[in-house]
Amino acid sequence: MTVERIDCANDPRAIAYRDLRDGDLLRGRGLFAAEGRVIVRRLIEDGRCLVHSLLVNDAALRDLGPAIARLDTAVPIFVCPTEAFLGLTGFDLHRGCVALVHRPAATPVDALIAAARRLVVLEAIANADNVGGVFRNAAAFSADGVLLSPSCCDPLYRKAIRTSMGAVLHVPYARAGDDDWPAVLMRVRAAGFTIVALTPREPAEMLEDFAARWDREGPPKGGHHALQDGGHRESPPKGGHHVLQEDALEYVASGFSRTARLALVIGSEGAGLTPGVEAAADYRVRIPISDRVDSLNLAVAAGIALHALGKNREPRTVNL
């Protein structure tokens, strides 16, 4: 490895690190910033992203030594005093370590849909901590990917990466274009997914009731209109969008097995899902909460729903 010491904030070798606060500028240069020793170690060991350079203090250099040794010798490792981080980057770095990394090629939406069995769909989630939290939950509860609406926060923004504990680096995701939202949900359905909207608004079925029925019998028949009629569950469908791709579903005598495809759709805190997206769902579910609070944090609600809908689901590896 190539270690270079930097002693002052105006050192031209570290000029790239002065733009860390500006995610759009970094994105325009084809880079993202990964902050913290745990994240950087995981990023290097994973090996799927190409590291541009590292900025560390001496403690981080010692701690990350074995991981850094795996990098190409052409990757510069800049070492500076801890007190110089603020002047170099504009803020105090988390545990004295940040990497600039080349952005991977974007995953096509249709490739993500084709590869997944369990999707999380996010609409208009602008908060980096919430996006990162959802990715962390997606990794924890074995979701296969995340589909983002056009206005969602960049998952590779440094705060989102940090909150996700690096999950955004290995959970596949794709972003729908402005001209493809929310129409892309029709392609999600055509690929055999049951679309489930997480919403506090009525009519919505209790999450635990829906999850129990899904776990016991697979995708119920009838869409959200059935919920408005009391949530009656009929026999498994013989046709319809659930069987458009029979190779994507495994049938069992009692109905659909747990390999059936499900897309959980989540909107922003406050506004929630837009009416058009909510109307596109096959089912609407809600999480019952105490009347002492008016809502749950978005990422918390996502974790609860993913856990409820995936209790008996075996983890899968999705490579895109």
Side-chain angles (χ1 to χ4, degrees):
M1 56 182 167
T2 305
V3 176
E4 302 180 38
R5 292 200 169 267
I6 294 175
D7 295 318
C8 59
N10 61 357
D11 191 308
R13 292 174 296 174
I15 192 170
Y17 288 89
R18 296 175 192 166
D19 302 324
L20 291 188
R21 286 185 176 274
D22 193 334
D24 290 336
L25 186 58
L26 278 177
R27 187 161 53 249
R29 292 166 52 204
L31 299 172
F32 69 89
E35 179 186 352
R37 299 182 199 177
V38 172
I39 304 301
V40 170
R41 181 181 288 108
R42 289 178 179 175
L43 184 148
I44 294 172
E45 291 176 349
D46 180 75
R48 281 178 287 185
C49 293
L50 182 64
V51 175
H52 172 277
S53 60
L54 282 178
L55 179 65
V56 296
N57 61 14
D58 283 293
L61 180 65
R62 290 191 298 270
D63 187 29
L64 293 173
I68 291 174
R70 300 173 62 170
L71 292 172
D72 189 289
T73 55
V75 175
I77 314 298
F78 300 117
V79 182
C80 72
T82 302
E83 59 272 16
F85 278 119
L86 181 60
L88 276 167
T89 66
F91 58 93
D92 291 320
L93 282 173
H94 184 65
R95 298 208 64 193
C97 176
V98 65
L100 287 181
V101 188
H102 294 278
R103 295 180 70 91
T107 298
V109 168
D110 290 335
L112 179 73
I113 294 171
R117 294 293 176 269
R118 185 64 47 89
L119 272 179
V120 179
V121 183
L122 299 183
E123 183 185 31
I125 312 300
N127 182 278
D129 290 321
N130 279 337
V131 169
V134 169
F135 270 83
R136 188 172 182 177
N137 285 322
F141 299 115
S142 300
D144 298 319
V146 178
L147 176 60
L148 305 163
S149 77
S151 57
C152 282
C153 168
D154 178 14
L156 293 180
Y157 180 58
R158 61 181 182 83
K159 285 187 66 179
I161 297 174
R162 188 178 68 208
T163 305
S164 78
M165 291 301 293
V168 301
L169 302 174
H170 60 84
V171 174
Y173 70 89
R175 183 184 297 275
D178 291 329
D179 59 350
D180 200 23
W181 184 265
V184 66
L185 295 178
M186 299 303 101
R187 299 209 304 281
V188 173
R189 173 177 289 119
F193 284 85
T194 296
I195 300 176
V196 180
L198 186 60
T199 176
R201 292 188 286 265
E202 296 290 354
E205 185 180 16
M206 293 290 190
L207 171 65
E208 58 186 309
D209 294 338
F210 178 85
R213 209 166 63 247
W214 176 278
D215 184 56
R216 184 174 64 249
E217 302 168 347
K221 179 182 178 182
H224 64 259
H225 299 293
L227 298 184
Q228 295 177 27
D229 295 331
H232 176 65
R233 204 290 189 180
E234 302 176 20
S235 58
K238 303 295 184 182
H241 66 263
H242 296 298
V243 296
L244 289 178
Q245 289 192 354
E246 295 193 8
D247 61 334
L249 301 175
E250 177 186 328
Y251 293 91
V252 293
S254 61
F256 287 88
S257 80
R258 296 186 184 95
T259 60
R261 292 172 143 184
L262 182 146
L264 177 67
V265 188
I266 306 168
S268 63
E269 290 184 9
L273 293 169
T274 57
V277 169
E278 193 167 319
D282 298 300
Y283 295 93
R284 302 183 183 102
V285 299
R286 63 188 178 91
I287 300 171
I289 60 174
S290 166
D291 58 10
R292 290 178 291 180
V293 295
D294 59 1
S295 64
L296 289 173
N297 168 266
L298 182 154
V300 170
I304 293 171
L306 287 169
H307 176 260
L309 293 169
K311 287 181 179 178
N312 295 298
R313 183 171 184 267
E314 294 184 1
R316 302 173 65 241
T317 298
V318 175
N319 295 312
L320 290 174

